[in-house]
Amino acid sequence: MISVLILTLDEEVNIGACLDSVAWADDVLVLDSGSEDRTVEIAREKGARVMHRAFDDFASQRNYGLEEGNLRHDWVLHLDADERVPPALRDALRGKADHGEHRAYRVPSKLMFQGRWLKHAGMYPTYQVRFGHREALTFTQVGHGQRGALSPEQVGTLDEPLLHYAFSKGIADWVRRHNRYSSDEAEHARETRLRDVDWTALMTGNAQTRRRTLKDLSYALPFRPLLRFLYVYVGRLGLLDGRPGFDYAVLLAFYEYLIGLKRRERGHRNERTVGGKSSAPLQETETNET
């Protein structure tokens, strides 16, 4: 009825619990991009099929799994290894696979941090298109994330959430990953121009389209790290999440600071190139993790 596609890279901490949460599915494909720990071994022990592909970006990985993964079912659920499917979401997915009116569905997620759900600072509910027809749901890469390529009217919304354990491998891992993500976001920000923004989406688009448009507009704002902190901690009432809410708001402000810093750095590089001056580029610390 439903196939599950999971992306992995060195996820031995997460993959067992992730696979346990989808043990109800009879077709689970783990698409691994070069794990050097026990990820693949655990996945096979749990009964999942395993394929390998070098990582380039999230959208290409998901599309490869759809095209080359020999998935058995028409409906596909896309997961990351640090996500879990509670029983209520399982039942909702089965219901849509049987009687759904749309070709794909957005799925909300609950961000888990320091042993609790960040109800406010985690900006619940935020949605990603993660469930849909195999032939209809493809992805495009935008910044460090991916977006479904279907038009909004073809995408429905589920109420039941995933559980997202984004810090399951510790703060240091989160910082390493977001160092890489900030490079992708900086490039996307540099390519985004106000004249290219779809202003009508603010009035006529759905919630997800408006959110994407507001994000593109926000690249023109000054003091983005401070504004991000105030929005998460005060505007979204992250202060009600206690110390975890404060810590998470600070981490997001740090992430915004990295984006701005790398955006300016790349601007300086371009100026030196245009000016014909030779200068060794500054180095960024990157990882090969997904």
Side-chain angles (χ1 to χ4, degrees):
M1 182 184 297
I2 297 172
S3 293
V4 180
L5 173 60
I6 305 171
L7 305 185
T8 60
L9 174 60
D10 293 332
E11 291 287 356
E12 67 178 8
V13 171
N14 288 309
I15 190 61
C18 180
L19 289 170
D20 287 343
S21 77
V22 294
W24 44 267
D26 65 356
D27 183 35
V28 179
L29 173 63
V30 169
L31 180 55
D32 187 76
S33 41
S35 293
E36 297 181 352
D37 60 5
R38 295 186 61 247
T39 298
V40 170
E41 178 184 347
I42 294 171
R44 287 178 172 151
E45 289 174 354
K46 295 284 185 179
R49 295 186 293 122
V50 178
M51 293 181 64
H52 301 274
R53 181 180 187 271
F55 183 83
D56 45 10
D57 59 58
F58 289 104
S60 297
Q61 291 293 97
R62 296 196 193 282
N63 292 337
Y64 180 86
L66 289 170
E67 296 165 4
E68 305 295 337
N70 295 317
L71 299 173
R72 299 176 190 169
H73 302 299
D74 290 335
W75 286 90
V76 181
L77 173 65
H78 295 263
L79 292 178
D80 294 331
D82 60 359
E83 296 172 332
R84 315 285 182 263
V85 179
L89 176 58
R90 173 201 62 199
D91 295 342
L93 294 170
R94 284 174 168 171
K96 295 302 182 184
D98 286 338
H99 306 291
E101 299 177 353
H102 297 86
R103 305 187 75 187
Y105 289 87
R106 305 175 192 89
V107 182
S109 65
K110 288 183 175 181
L111 178 62
M112 312 301 290
F113 181 47
Q114 295 182 3
R116 65 181 294 176
W117 167 35
L118 293 184
K119 181 177 181 180
H120 304 283
M123 290 168 283
Y124 181 84
T126 56
Y127 298 90
Q128 289 186 333
V129 179
R130 290 296 193 87
F131 183 59
H133 277 283
R134 184 179 67 242
E135 301 300 328
L137 182 55
T138 58
F139 295 88
T140 56
Q141 191 71 20
V142 179
H144 80 270
Q146 67 280 317
R147 295 177 181 174
L150 289 172
S151 59
E153 63 271 11
Q154 299 181 78
V155 182
T157 301
L158 296 179
D159 295 326
E160 297 297 336
L162 290 165
L163 301 183
H164 185 198
Y165 292 86
F167 295 87
S168 55
K169 292 193 285 186
I171 298 295
D173 173 78
W174 187 94
V175 170
R176 282 194 298 270
R177 285 185 286 118
H178 282 72
N179 179 49
R180 186 181 73 247
Y181 297 164
S182 65
S183 298
D184 297 334
E185 286 291 329
E187 184 62 29
H188 177 62
R190 283 187 54 79
E191 294 173 352
T192 300
R193 300 290 183 268
L194 287 178
R195 64 176 179 270
D196 298 326
V197 171
D198 182 6
W199 296 91
T200 60
L202 293 175
M203 299 298 295
T204 62
N206 59 29
Q208 190 173 36
T209 302
R210 290 196 299 272
R211 182 170 174 265
R212 291 172 179 174
T213 303
L214 287 171
K215 179 179 179 180
D216 289 342
L217 287 172
S218 74
Y219 290 130
L221 293 175
F223 310 113
R224 277 174 54 93
L226 176 60
L227 292 175
R228 184 72 179 271
F229 174 84
L230 292 175
Y231 174 69
V232 172
Y233 193 63
V234 180
R236 294 301 299 255
L237 299 179
L239 55 91
L240 298 180
D241 290 322
R243 182 57 186 261
F246 175 81
D247 290 344
Y248 185 62
V250 170
L251 285 171
L252 290 181
F254 166 70
Y255 176 54
E256 291 292 345
Y257 185 78
L258 282 178
I259 294 171
L261 191 63
K262 292 180 180 182
R263 186 180 178 185
R264 293 191 297 275
E265 179 186 67
R266 294 185 182 197
H268 294 326
R269 289 177 181 173
N270 291 342
E271 289 174 2
R272 289 197 297 269
T273 301
V274 171
K277 297 180 180 180
S278 176
S279 177
L282 298 175
Q283 297 297 313
E284 296 172 1
T285 302
E286 300 284 353
T287 72
N288 292 321
E289 300 174 16
T290 58

